[in-house]
Amino acid sequence: MTGASAQSPVTSTDITLTVGANAAQRVVSWYASGNGAQSVQVAPTSQLVNGEFPANATTYPATLAANTVNGGYNGHATLDGLQEDTAYSYRVGSDGAWSSTYAFKTRKFSGNFDFLFFGDPQIGSSGNTAKDGAGWQDTLDVSLAANPDSELLVSGGDQVETANTESQWDAYFASDKLRQVPTAPTIGNHDVGGKAYEQHFWTPNTDRSTSFYQGSAATQSGGDYWYIFKGVLFIHLNSNAYANGADAAHIAYVTSVVQAHKAEAKHIVLVYHHAIYSPADHANDSDNKQRRIDFPTAFSNLGVDLVLQGHDHSYSRSYSIKNGQKANTSEQPGATEVSAGPGGVIYVTANSASGSKYYDLTTPVAGEYGPDPLDPTGKRHYANSVENQEHVRTYVKVGVKDDSLTVQEIRSGTCAAPNAAVELGKVSWCGPNSGATPAQPVGSIVDKTVIYRNAAPVSGTVPSTLSLKLDTPPTFSAFTPGVANDYVASMTANVVSSAGDGVLTVADPSDAAVGRLVNGSYSLASALQAKASSPNGAGASAFAPVGGSTTPTSLLSYSGPVSNDPVTVQFQQHIGANDPLRTGKYSKTLVFTLSTTSP
C-alpha cells in the first residue's frame, strides 16, 4: 500500500526588481517551482511588526507561464500605485510558501536623480562562473555604497555568457541589490539565443514584433521597450535584430515613442547593446558598420541626448555627434563640459562591470571609422573624445538635472581579485597606460563630463603670453677699498603670464668670471648675489649666487597665470677688507628669463 504524500510548496528563486512604466511602478519577476497561485505582497516597511506583514498588505496577483527551456515556471507582477519617498517591503509566493522579505525605497517622483549603467557582466565568460559572479556582486556593492541614492540600475546587455545556462543566471541574480534597486535590463547577443532572458525579466511597454527578433520568437528573446522615469524617456532596443529591415523598424519604434511622449521628457536616453562607436574589438564589425549608417541621423533628428551601449568591454565617450559627424569642430578631447546643441548626441560604451572579459582598444583604420585628427598618436577613433581600457572593473554614473546630464566612468575594482580576466591570465597586464601605471583606487574617476542640452556656448581666447619688462638697471653705491661691507641695489620688473606655471631666472651669459662683476681684466673676489619678491610669486628669502647660462639662478616661481605682477629684484655684492679694487666701473650684463612647462 502506497501512502499519499503532501504536495511540496512552491518555491521562488532568482527574484528580481525591475523598472515599471513610470516612477510609481516596479515589476517583480521570479522563477517558480510550480504553477500554483502566486502573488507579490507589499506593505510600507513601517507597518511590519517583528517582520510580519500587516493584514491589510497589498497583494498583486502574479502572471505565471511555463519555462519553455529549463522547466518550472516564471512569474511576474507589476506593483502599481506606489507612493513617493516611501520604504516598502515585499515577498513573493503564497500563504505557507513565502519567499524571504526584501525591501526597496521610492524617492520623489520628480526632480534630479542619479542612475548607474553597467556593461556586460557576461557571467561565465572567463570560464569560471563563480569568479565572474564575485566581480559582478562586488561592482554592485561598491557602486551602491558610493552612490546609495541611485534610483535605477541600467544594463548594457550580456548578463550571461550562455543564454539558457541557469547556473550563470543564478550567479547574476545572487546579490540582494537586484531585489532592492530596480534594474532596467537590455538584451545582448549572449542573451538572445534562448528564452531565459524574457523569462527572467518582464519589461514595460514591450514590442515583441517579429522585426525585433534575430530569429524565432519561439526559441529566442527580443523586443524593444520604453518607460519614463522622473522626466527621462528611456528606450531600450534589441540591437541583435539589425538585418532585413530591422534597423528601420527600430527607428520607427523610437520615432513613434518620442513623438508620443517627448512633451513629458526633459531628456531622451537610448540603450542598446552593440556600440556603434566602439573603441575596441568590435569597432569595424560589419553589423556595426551598418548601424553607423542607419542610426545617427535619425537619433539626431529625434533629439536624443545620450546613447548607452555595451558589447565592447571597454570604455568610450564620444564627442557630440550630429548626423554621424562631430557637431562642434572646436570640441576638444576629454572636455569636461559639452554643449550638445540641437541634434548633438553623446554615445557612451561601457566597460566590463564584472571583470569576466576585457577587449583592448584598437587602432583606427583610415576610412569610414578612422583616426581623430586631434589625436597626434592616431590611436583614438574620430568619433570619440575619450577611450580607456585598464583591465579593471568599472561602471558609469549618470546624474540627471533639468538642463544637464553628468556622465562619469568610475573604477569599481583594481587589479586584485575579484577580477577574473586578470586572475585567470586572460590578459597580460593591468592598470592605466597599458599597465605602466599602478592601478588607481576603487572609486577613482576615469572620465567625467557635463552634457548641456540647451546651452549656448560663449567663448573667448587668451593668446599664449609670457611678458617680462625690466625697469632701470640697478647701480650699487661706490665700493670703498679696505672696508668690509655688503652693498645692496635693486630694480623692478613687470611679469605677465598666461601659463599654468612659470619661473623667473637670472644668469650670467659671459665666459669670463662667471657670476662676478668685472672691470676690464679685473673681477671682484666675491660672487654677485640675487633674490626677488612679488605679491604673486614664490621666491627665496635668502640671496643666492648668480649662475651661468647652464645653471641659471631661480628667483621666483608661479603656480598659475598672473597679470602685471610687480617684481622687486635685489642684488648684493660683498666687498672684503682685503679685496683688491681697481679704479673704474665694475659691471656685468645679466639675462633674465621667464619660462614655463605648462603653456
Side-chain angles (χ1 to χ4, degrees), residues 5 33 140 177 241 253 291 340 446 462 554 591 593:
S5 59
S33 61
L140 289 171
K177 298 294 189 294
Y253 179 82
R291 294 186 193 93
V446 176
V462 177
S554 177
V591 174
T593 303

Side-chain angles (χ1 to χ4, degrees), residues 9-13 15 30-41 59-64 73-77 91-95 97-99:
V10 175
T11 58
S12 305
T13 58
I15 299 169
W30 66 94
Y31 271 13
S33 61
N35 64 345
Q38 292 203 320
S39 61
V40 179
Q41 196 172 57
T59 298
Y60 297 90
T63 299
L64 287 176
Y73 297 83
N74 60 86
H76 76 273
R91 58 186 180 179
V92 170
S94 59
D95 288 340
W98 290 112
S99 70

Side-chain angles (χ1 to χ4, degrees), residues 367-408:
E368 182 263 336
Y369 194 36
D372 180 7
L374 295 181
D375 180 8
T377 70
K379 294 182 178 181
R380 191 178 63 251
H381 296 82
Y382 82 85
N384 290 333
S385 173
V386 177
E387 296 181 348
N388 179 268
Q389 179 56 275
E390 299 177 9
H391 296 163
V392 301
R393 293 179 285 114
T394 61
Y395 65 96
V396 175
K397 176 183 177 181
V398 180
V400 178
K401 295 183 177 180
D402 286 346
D403 63 346
S404 67
L405 298 171
T406 299
V407 176
Q408 299 182 69

Side-chain angles (χ1 to χ4, degrees), residues 494-546:
N494 187 73
V495 171
V496 178
S497 170
S498 63
D501 60 30
V503 177
L504 176 63
T505 62
V506 63
D508 178 0
S510 65
D511 295 327
V514 175
R516 291 182 289 164
L517 301 181
V518 297
N519 178 2
S521 60
Y522 298 93
S523 61
L524 293 180
S526 297
L528 181 65
Q529 308 268 322
K531 68 176 182 179
S533 61
S534 82
N536 300 301
S541 58
F543 285 102
V546 175

Side-chain angles (χ1 to χ4, degrees), residues 474-479 481 513 516-526 528 573 575 579-589:
T475 301
F476 292 109
S477 60
F479 302 143
R516 291 182 289 164
L517 301 181
V518 297
N519 178 2
S521 60
Y522 298 93
S523 61
L524 293 180
S526 297
L528 181 65
Q573 179 62 59
I575 300 295
D579 289 353
L581 298 177
R582 178 72 172 89
T583 302
K585 182 179 181 181
Y586 282 83
S587 66
K588 183 66 70 75
T589 298

Side-chain angles (χ1 to χ4, degrees), residues 77 79 87 105 162 174 199 448 524 560 571:
L79 317 184
K105 188 179 188 303
T162 310
Q199 293 171 171
K448 180 179 180 180
L524 293 180
F571 294 94

